[in-house]
Amino acid sequence: MTQAHEVDVVVLGLGPGGESLAAELAGSGLDVVGVDRRLVGGECPYYGCIPTKMMVRASEIAARGRAGSGATAAEARRSWADVARRISEEATTGWDDRAAVDRLEASGARFARGHGRLVGPRTVEVEGTTYRARRGVVLNTGTEPTAPPIDGLDATPYWTNRDAVRAEELPESLVVLGGGAIGAELAQVFARFGVRVTVVENAPRILAVEEPEAGDLVGDVFAREGIEVVTDADTKRVSHDGRHFTLEVNGSRLHADRLLVSTGRRANLADVGLDSVGLDPSARFLEVDEHMRAQDGLWAIGDITGKGAFTHVSMYQAAVAAADIRGAADRAADYRAVPRVTFTDPEVGAVGMTERQAREAGLRVRVGRTDLAASTRGWIHGAEGFVKLVEDADRGVLVGATSAGPAGGEVLSMLVTAVHAEVPTERLRTMMYAYPTFHRAVESALTDLGRPVED
Ligand SMILES: Cc1cc2nc3c(=O)[nH]c(=O)nc-3n(C[C@H](O)[C@H](O)[C@H](O)COP(=O)(O)OP(=O)(O)OC[C@H]3O[C@@H](n4cnc5c(N)ncnc54)[C@H](O)[C@@H]3O)c2cc1C
């Protein structure tokens, strides 16, 4: 017999946004139940942002160490054991969420472990227990890694990001299928630890959603670091003979000890009972309004909304939804200035539209660019990178920008402010930029932006 409980809010799926929203609402006195079938906190702390950035940091140190010491690839691979230990012990506590559950419960929320699904308006069932939510349900069910429909692939023991962050030993060779942000970050990490890496990318360049200059820059660095990149790739077949993978790509065969698939993710919407509330369970993303409402009594936040698969989007949306649920002052979500950072070396920070997106949106576009090497700090550091600005020339404001180079994601912050607050580019030209910093390149890019618009 199912048990039924009356509560104020059910948060179904506790990714970063769901976890913070549940705690915030419980802290404000609401009766909240948070539900997760796996780990409280979701992908980011256990399999995404945190362990991968720990790997990136370790690989930067390893690359510097190797350059000076002449260590062999085999020695570099062996040194991975320290990174694996740090990820397990410090980042993820052995992939155990006890601390997160304790934190959630300390906020006053209740926690239910198990697969939850909607069984009607404002009603969720978790492993035989029914929760009826007076205010409503928040969905934050996130994504799972997916693999493309390549002949033979499903039958092989390929890695996803979840296996890659748990690797205790490194293979001698690795093919990374998919050269987006996740694939590029992990490719460089493993290569810097002595793994022979090949990246296979369908598009003409890696980091295909970013400015083409970014993909070209990182592609050049990869080539120098010995990472082979196959672009315009048509992968026909994948097989595994018990020890090695073979990929048939563009008429040639690639062999590797391991295969990492990083070609995309699927929103967890098929099995959350959307049909019970009249919504389409086969939808790619869940449509929400600017208050994160999917319908009366149902909110959605995080990757499933399709507004940017980033922890900061999930947390931002959580705050918007929480305000709406509490009936607090009107706070509407605004996605003009979504920042994104690819933590390769050089690091690629970007915000808003690329030049191409701005032109496709019908804007009269002016672009300003500068090379980091032309700046004093860039020259001192021997840095590679650039700043590119995309201006809506009619309004005289930036609608997008990219800062690639050392700490590109940090330089980005002032560009996010400019896009978010629509600071006129004329105004940006009148401020001071500390000397000699990487962000001074923004001033040079603004000077370049002064050129007339090409029609
Ligand atoms: C390798 C990698 C690196 C990344 N690096 C970064 C980065 O550097 N910066 C950044 O901003 N983002 C990064 N991301 C993206 C980031 O991890 C996600 O955007 C973030 O986790 C937000 O996701 P979410 O809130 O939608 O939910 P998720 O984190 O996906 O969590 C969803 C939760 O819902 C649970 N769930 C799903 N269905 C059910 C159900 N039916 N019942 C109960 N529970 C359910 C799941 O178990 C999970 O815990 C990275 C992702 C990956 C894979």
Side-chain angles (χ1 to χ4, degrees):
M1 205 179 74
T2 60
Q3 287 181 290
H5 298 276
E6 294 274 331
V7 297
D8 289 319
V9 177
V10 177
V11 184
L12 178 49
L14 295 167
E19 183 187 359
S20 81
L21 177 134
E24 184 188 335
L25 291 181
S28 71
L30 294 179
D31 185 3
V32 179
V33 173
V35 183
D36 206 292
R37 63 185 178 194
R38 299 178 73 209
L39 296 168
V40 173
E43 198 77 12
C44 178
Y46 302 100
Y47 301 105
C49 332
I50 293 178
T52 59
K53 265 77 267 184
M54 212 174 237
M55 289 157 74
V56 166
R57 176 67 187 139
S59 74
E60 285 164 2
I61 295 167
R64 243 181 277 140
R66 263 186 93 190
S69 74
T72 64
E75 284 162 348
R77 285 199 299 277
R78 277 198 294 278
S79 69
W80 176 257
D82 288 336
V83 185
R85 195 175 314 115
R86 189 162 177 228
I87 291 171
S88 171
E89 289 174 9
E90 290 179 39
T92 68
T93 337
W95 287 270
D96 182 325
D97 66 352
R98 200 166 317 139
V101 173
D102 288 349
R103 205 166 49 227
L104 184 68
E105 291 180 338
S107 75
R110 276 181 284 160
F111 174 58
R113 176 108 52 202
H115 184 99
R117 58 170 61 81
L118 289 159
V119 290
R122 292 184 162 85
T123 312
V124 169
E125 194 178 290
V126 187
E127 315 284 340
T129 301
T130 303
Y131 297 93
R132 287 202 195 87
R134 289 180 282 266
R135 298 215 184 177
V137 175
V138 183
L139 289 182
N140 177 225
T141 49
T143 58
E144 300 291 322
T146 51
I150 298 172
D151 190 22
L153 178 59
D154 265 355
T156 69
Y158 64 82
W159 275 359
T160 69
N161 63 296
R162 293 178 183 171
D163 308 292
V165 302
R166 297 190 78 137
E168 289 180 1
E169 284 177 18
L170 294 187
E172 268 182 49
S173 55
L174 170 77
V175 169
V176 177
L177 195 58
I182 293 172
E185 287 176 10
L186 293 175
Q188 194 176 39
V189 163
F190 289 128
R192 287 179 163 195
F193 274 97
V195 179
R196 202 160 13 89
V197 176
T198 306
V199 178
V200 174
E201 167 58 50
N202 285 356
R205 58 173 63 78
I206 57 170
L207 305 185
V209 300
E210 299 300 347
E211 294 285 8
E213 293 92 332
D216 290 344
L217 171 73
V218 176
D220 287 349
V221 172
F222 275 18
R224 281 209 307 276
E225 293 190 0
I227 301 170
E228 192 188 341
V229 178
V230 181
T231 52
D232 294 308
D234 179 15
T235 307
K236 286 271 185 262
R237 212 188 127 63
V238 178
S239 59
H240 187 257
D241 64 6
R243 289 190 60 197
H244 303 289
F245 288 85
T246 302
L247 287 87
E248 294 173 24
V249 183
N250 295 355
S252 301
R253 287 179 171 215
L254 293 175
H255 303 284
D257 296 340
R258 287 279 173 200
L259 169 65
L260 169 64
V261 176
S262 53
T263 48
R265 307 186 61 89
R266 173 179 43 79
N268 287 320
L269 292 175
D271 55 358
V272 292
L274 288 180
D275 44 346
S276 74
V277 293
L279 294 171
D280 179 7
S282 65
R284 192 158 166 242
F285 298 115
L286 198 53
E287 288 278 326
V288 287
D289 70 10
E290 70 273 27
H291 302 290
M292 315 315 306
R293 294 182 204 144
Q295 62 177 215
D296 192 33
L298 183 67
W299 291 261
I301 60 171
D303 295 1
I304 57 172
T305 64
K307 304 293 187 193
F310 303 106
T311 289
H312 44 272
V313 172
S314 182
M315 307 280 285
Y316 171 86
Q317 293 178 325
V320 173
D324 197 42
I325 292 167
R326 285 200 319 269
D330 210 26
R331 186 172 167 190
D334 170 359
Y335 302 103
R336 287 169 307 116
V338 175
R340 45 192 195 276
V341 180
T342 303
F343 293 86
T344 43
D345 174 13
E347 192 167 285
V348 179
V351 59
M353 292 190 241
T354 59
E355 177 182 357
R356 183 174 166 180
Q357 286 169 335
R359 291 192 192 284
E360 284 174 359
L363 301 181
R364 205 164 65 89
V365 170
R366 215 154 53 153
V367 168
R369 272 192 213 88
T370 192
D371 202 330
L372 267 199
S375 71
T376 307
R377 183 96 190 263
W379 168 73
I380 291 169
H381 283 245
E384 290 176 275
F386 64 90
V387 169
K388 178 172 177 179
L389 308 176
V390 181
E391 184 195 45
D392 175 348
D394 289 331
R395 290 191 303 138
V397 294
L398 299 183
V399 290
T402 299
S403 65
E410 307 300 327
V411 172
L412 183 69
S413 77
M414 68 162 295
L415 298 168
V416 178
T417 308
V419 174
H420 173 75
E422 301 187 328
V423 183
T425 44
E426 276 315 315
R427 192 89 202 269
L428 291 173
R429 284 196 183 91
T430 63
M431 64 183 257
M432 281 192 261
Y433 298 77
Y435 182 86
T437 57
F438 290 121
H439 77 252
R440 251 180 96 77
V442 173
E443 189 177 36
S444 309
L446 283 162
T447 305
D448 189 52
L449 193 64
R451 291 172 297 129
V453 183
E454 295 157 24
D455 286 319

